Amino acid sequence: MPDSAYAPDDLPLTGIMVVDFGQYIAAPGAAQTLADLGADVLKIEGPGGDQARGIGVYGEAIMRAYNRRKKSIVLDLKADDDLRHARALIARADVVIHNLRPGVMEKLGLSADEIRELNPTVVLAAVSGFGTEGPSRRRPGLDIAAQAETGMMSVTGEADGDPQRVGFPLVDHATSYVVTQAVLAALFRRERTGLGDDIDVSLLDVAIDLQCVNWGEYSLTGVAPHRRGNGQPTAAPAADIFPTADGSIVVSAYTEQRFTQLCDLAGRPDLPKDPRFADNPARVAHRGELLAALTPFFAGLDTEAALTALTSVGIVAGAVRTYDQVPSAPDVIASGIFTTGSTADGHTYSIPGLPYRSRSTPRTADAGRVPELGEHSHEIVAHYRLGEYSLT
């Protein structure tokens, strides 16, 4: 069983071995990216498997999105023989990733210090909900808790409505990117120094960091951001929605030049001279009236015609598309972002691949396969000669 069974020999992380103890999204997502970059990722699953395997459609979607190209081995870490196998894999690994509940790895005898004893040069990345230092360090954490406790839900939704979550697991997915970034930096450092590293990433920290612009505005104004629906709080028109003849379009034209161009295009050259719209603060204060004045122009055009008109003069705009429309959009087709994954039973499905292009990591039509629970257990035991490893 070659160490890079799914990857060409020249991908950036070919020859790197990753041991993935992850559940759900944040840790498995980072390991998934490392696999796409060529690493050999061994997914360690308990007898019941990744918890995502047992939660229906959402869980199956998680498995398809974040566990391709991996090899699955079932290990009951409460059993001495299986724990010995896990320790043997850790001793050989370049990277170990986990997001198990706080304290679980320690109870199993796999604390950071114990892992470091097994493998001094390993890069260990641990994901938690709320960090390792504060009063919530033992609390389990999921994406929604991080959205709630970092202000994200407080600024999402209509002004007179309830706080709302972002419509997808943004924090979990972004955390997988942060973990990947930290792991790659640590591997680069190890190349120079020979030293391993311990990485701690929390959903809490990532969710706060995602809102950097809001925190910058808060520091400038002293006014806490709040829900206001569409539109940026301090600029107009910015991220504002206009209905078209066949859908909707989002428009940002808040510099004086772009606002004037927008008004000329809409047949309303009078608007920039109106005191209500003379500058950005005035436009923000009278946003409703501004949108009402511009709406008739967009209502008379279909979405593509509106996009063409706006972009012809350099105004930023985007069609508001639904999930069934996105894959057929010409720019999406040209990007090649959607690839084809597969399951052990031969079923294929469309899934986004790496969100960038590089010469060393070309996009391919094959996104890899999701392993069945324990599919590679015997191969891994034999390949890494785990039966010869001593727990002591």
Side-chain angles (χ1 to χ4, degrees):
M1 184 183 70
D3 284 353
S4 296
Y6 302 103
D9 291 337
D10 59 351
L11 288 176
L13 295 187
T14 296
I16 294 295
M17 175 185 165
V18 178
V19 175
D20 172 16
F21 289 93
Q23 304 279 322
Y24 294 118
I25 295 176
Q32 168 72 79
T33 300
L34 299 177
D36 283 338
L37 293 173
D40 191 42
V41 178
L42 309 184
K43 184 174 179 65
I44 310 298
E45 301 191 69
D50 185 324
Q51 293 176 37
R53 290 188 186 269
I55 56 173
V57 172
Y58 183 54
E60 178 62 23
I62 289 173
M63 293 302 299
R64 292 184 177 196
Y66 300 108
N67 291 282
R68 294 169 286 103
R69 303 190 195 278
K70 299 180 183 180
K71 307 181 187 82
S72 170
I73 177 173
V74 170
L75 295 176
D76 182 354
L77 298 180
K78 295 180 182 179
D80 286 348
D81 284 348
D82 283 6
L83 179 60
R84 184 173 67 248
H85 291 343
R87 290 167 65 89
L89 293 173
I90 290 170
R92 291 164 167 81
D94 297 286
V95 179
V96 174
I97 297 176
H98 79 84
N99 62 341
L100 299 181
R101 283 178 178 249
V104 169
M105 292 291 277
E106 289 79 2
K107 289 179 181 178
L108 294 169
L110 296 174
S111 67
D113 289 341
E114 289 164 315
I115 288 175
R116 183 70 53 212
E117 288 180 9
L118 288 169
N119 188 341
T121 64
V122 76
V123 173
L124 171 61
V127 181
S128 64
F130 301 95
T132 59
E133 304 297 327
S136 295
R137 60 186 177 276
R138 296 292 180 186
R139 283 173 60 192
L142 293 175
D143 178 283
I144 191 61
Q147 288 196 36
E149 298 207 11
T150 61
M152 191 176 293
M153 288 181 67
S154 77
V155 297
T156 304
E158 296 298 328
D160 57 353
D162 292 331
Q164 293 186 351
R165 71 176 185 92
V166 178
F168 57 95
L170 170 64
V171 179
D172 274 341
H173 192 80
T175 298
S176 76
Y177 283 178
V178 173
V179 174
T180 301
Q181 172 185 309
V183 166
L184 293 176
L187 287 173
F188 182 70
R189 174 177 176 268
R190 192 180 70 172
E191 285 296 303
R192 294 186 293 106
T193 67
L195 300 174
D197 208 348
D198 294 331
I199 298 164
D200 289 312
V201 180
S202 74
L203 303 182
L204 182 82
D205 287 351
V206 172
I208 290 173
D209 180 70
L210 285 169
Q211 301 171 78
C212 274
V213 171
N214 281 12
W215 291 110
E217 289 185 354
Y218 185 32
S219 70
L220 285 166
T221 66
V223 177
H226 57 277
R227 290 185 305 287
R228 58 179 306 126
N230 294 309
Q232 293 179 4
T234 57
D240 285 299
I241 301 292
F242 293 95
T244 63
D246 61 349
S248 298
I249 193 168
V250 62
V251 178
S252 285
Y254 49 87
T255 66
E256 299 311 314
Q257 177 189 2
R258 296 305 183 201
F259 179 61
T260 298
Q261 289 175 317
L262 174 62
C263 294
D264 288 344
L265 192 65
R268 294 298 306 272
D270 57 304
L271 294 181
K273 303 169 187 176
D274 188 316
R276 297 172 299 169
F277 313 130
D279 56 27
N280 222 342
R283 292 194 292 273
V284 169
H286 299 277
R287 186 189 298 269
E289 297 154 272
L290 174 62
L291 300 187
L294 293 171
T295 291
F297 166 70
F298 293 100
L301 298 172
D302 64 38
T303 301
E304 292 303 320
L307 268 179
T308 299
L310 290 165
T311 56
S312 69
V313 295
I315 294 174
V316 174
V320 180
R321 295 194 171 106
T322 58
Y323 272 64
D324 57 336
Q325 296 171 330
V326 170
S328 60
D331 291 312
V332 176
I333 293 172
S335 79
I337 180 66
F338 281 101
T339 59
T340 301
S342 59
T343 59
D345 61 5
H347 181 77
T348 60
Y349 59 93
S350 181
I351 198 75
L354 286 173
Y356 66 88
R357 297 174 180 270
S358 75
R359 183 175 300 173
S360 65
T361 315
R363 285 180 173 165
T364 63
D366 181 10
R369 188 166 67 78
V370 179
E372 288 196 331
L373 176 61
E375 178 180 346
H376 303 94
S377 293
H378 295 302
E379 295 176 54
I380 292 171
V381 168
H383 179 73
Y384 292 100
R385 304 170 68 178
L386 300 185
E388 300 175 14
Y389 183 81
S390 172
L391 187 61
T392 59

